[in-house]
Amino acid sequence: MNIRLVDPKTSARHPEVLGVGVFEDQPRTAVSALPAAVRARVQEALSSGKCKGSSGEVFAVFVPGSGPECVFLIGLGKRETLKLERVRLAAARLRSQAAACKYAALRLDLESVRGALPMADVIGAAVEGLRMSAYRFDKYKTSGKDRKPSGPSEAELGLRSPGAGERRALAEAEILAETVNWTRDFANEPANVLTPVRLAAVARRMASEERLSCRVLGRAECLKLGMGGIIGVSQGSSYPPQLIVLEYKPKGVKDQRPVVLVGKGVTFDTGGISLKPGPGMEWMKYDMCGAAAVIGALRAIARLKLPVPVVGLAPVVENMPGSKAQRPGDIIRCMNGKTVEVLNTDAEGRLILADALCYAERYKPRHLIDIATLTGACSVTFGDAASAVMSSDPELTARLKKAGEHTGERLWEMPLYEEYKELIRATHADIQNISKKNVGIMTAGLFLREFSGHAGSWAHLDIAGTGFADGDRPLGPKGVTGMGVRLFTRFVRDLAAER
Ligand code: BES
Ligand code: MN
Ligand code: ZN
């Protein structure tokens, strides 16, 4: 799909399909440059009250023959409360409708939202909506018939006299949306294909293409560094663990402490000896979504040449049972010397993240942020409506939440009460890897905080409910969502804008 900015006043040609945003509280929309017959039909739909403009509504007006054959009036809800996410969804819906009707070209009229939000942001949201909704993972469908139709090949964003700022917004959003889909592509791979070594290879190849530095620590190096968490979790698998280290150093930026991102990369989580139940276990091929988000974010940040140094760390393992696997009750020692009683081998994410967080210390991070499909409790609590954020730094939380508001990747803060610390105090070691009571989201957060180098600015994102979708969504099909890629990129972009 090609996406272009088009000035409706100067473009002679009409698109087959036109999408126009309609507000609930302002039903009279100026639809620029339409043939009279089409305009009349659109006005009729609006003034008769058949088309209400409520959020999520799509009203189709077909006028065969002249101008656009089909106008989709896309409900945007109330104008004052318009959010970028609604623009994203509107663009996604328009594209899906046009695809269903087998149209090859569409135009989304952005003038209908002018003034409600900054136009550059609107362009970005529209591009994301179009590209993310078009994503498919059908490389393993051997028959073309089983593949979903790819949809329109041409998409225009209708906008009066677009300038340089608008063109830049388009170019940046293209990078971002393409990177989200690139991330989905490798993260959707099943665990027999995407082993820890293969995931590290994805990061390596990306790094050489984007001129990032990439190092991968293998089992021997992890052992030498005393990474008992990574070693312990991976020891039941025939695949060796990998610690991916990506470093982005922008040109001309010196003496700045980096943002360090750490993503959980469990290529498959059987639970280990604390084996998970069979039904639904296949979802655990997505237990590396945190690592995917970090790798994707570094790619986008490097492509956008953001002037902030960023380090990406991803501990990658497979969690398997077997004669070499760690057992419930095992005591391991993490890189910072803290001992952990492994009461449940299925609480493995925090064990590998613990070592990666310790490793992060060498970078003296300005901000240290981890991201993980960490607890089933989080997915039960929020579904896919939000990710949980926990942090030692309220300002960092606020920045992350603001970035998430912008990208539509919502964050909800959970409290790290000191009282909860008691729940992970161990009998025979410093801490244990599961909670004595049902506050699983926060005790996981508290566990990680123990390895975050207390004084600093650390945050933990639990994306158990948002990293992958259990069914098709407007912004992407069942499978990996790419949650975190846009959020981190936005977060870093905002940091850059401040200096
Ligand atoms: N990867 C899972 C968490 C998960 C579950 C993510 C469902 C996405 C969907 C994690 O490793 C896990 O197994 N967590 C356990 C922790 C428990 C043993 C304390 C859980 O949440 O049940
Ligand atoms: Mn687990
Ligand atoms: Zn897991």
Side-chain angles (χ1 to χ4, degrees), residues 98-263:
C101 301
K102 308 264 188 326
Y103 286 117
L106 64 80
R107 179 184 299 167
L108 177 58
D109 173 46
L110 295 185
E111 287 303 326
S112 48
V113 298
R114 185 178 287 280
L117 290 167
M119 193 47 94
D121 292 345
V122 168
I123 292 169
V127 171
E128 288 170 18
L130 291 170
R131 289 249 180 260
M132 289 171 66
S133 72
Y135 177 78
R136 298 289 175 266
F137 184 72
D138 53 12
K139 63 186 279 199
Y140 293 110
K141 299 275 191 196
T142 57
S143 152
K145 279 184 302 193
D146 292 341
R147 296 192 198 119
K148 295 220 178 88
S150 54
S153 57
E154 295 295 324
E156 299 171 343
L157 302 177
L159 176 71
R160 233 177 298 129
S161 39
E166 275 102 11
R167 291 191 194 290
R168 193 173 338 110
L170 171 67
E172 287 182 4
E174 287 280 24
I175 290 175
L176 213 45
E178 191 267 333
T179 299
V180 168
N181 289 346
W182 174 84
T183 303
R184 289 169 167 181
D185 260 339
F186 74 81
N188 272 321
E189 290 285 358
N192 61 327
V193 175
L194 195 73
T195 61
V197 166
R198 296 270 193 95
L199 181 51
V202 169
R204 257 207 208 94
R205 183 162 5 96
M206 181 279 282
S208 82
E209 280 163 13
E210 309 304 332
R211 291 160 195 226
L212 298 174
S213 100
C214 179
R215 261 175 312 130
V216 179
L217 312 192
R219 192 185 130 84
E221 285 154 294
C222 291
L223 204 56
K224 211 158 125 197
L225 286 166
M227 296 178 154
I230 292 177
I231 297 298
V233 175
S234 66
Q235 73 193 29
S237 170
S238 57
Y239 300 136
Q242 306 271 279
L243 177 62
I244 302 171
V245 183
L246 291 163
E247 294 175 15
Y248 166 64
K249 293 197 191 90
K251 279 210 188 75
V253 178
K254 294 222 163 58
D255 308 325
Q256 243 194 75
R257 291 155 69 200
V259 171
V260 180
L261 306 174
V262 182

Side-chain angles (χ1 to χ4, degrees), residues 264 269 287 348:
K264 168 179 173 182
D269 181 12
D287 211 18
E348 83 297 343

Side-chain angles (χ1 to χ4, degrees), residues 1 64 77 98 137 220 229 250 275 279 292 302 363 365 367 379 424 451 476:
M1 179 170 49
F137 184 72
L275 194 64
Y363 293 102
H367 300 293
S379 133
I424 50 170
F451 300 88

Side-chain angles (χ1 to χ4, degrees), residues 315-351:
V316 190
V317 301
E318 185 183 50
N319 188 21
M320 295 289 272
S323 65
K324 292 191 177 139
Q326 65 178 348
R327 294 140 293 250
D330 280 6
I331 295 176
I332 59 174
R333 192 184 300 275
C334 289
M335 189 180 169
N336 64 354
K338 283 199 180 147
T339 54
V340 182
E341 199 165 1
V342 181
L343 293 186
N344 189 319
T345 64
D346 196 11
E348 83 297 343
R350 64 200 73 182
L351 302 178

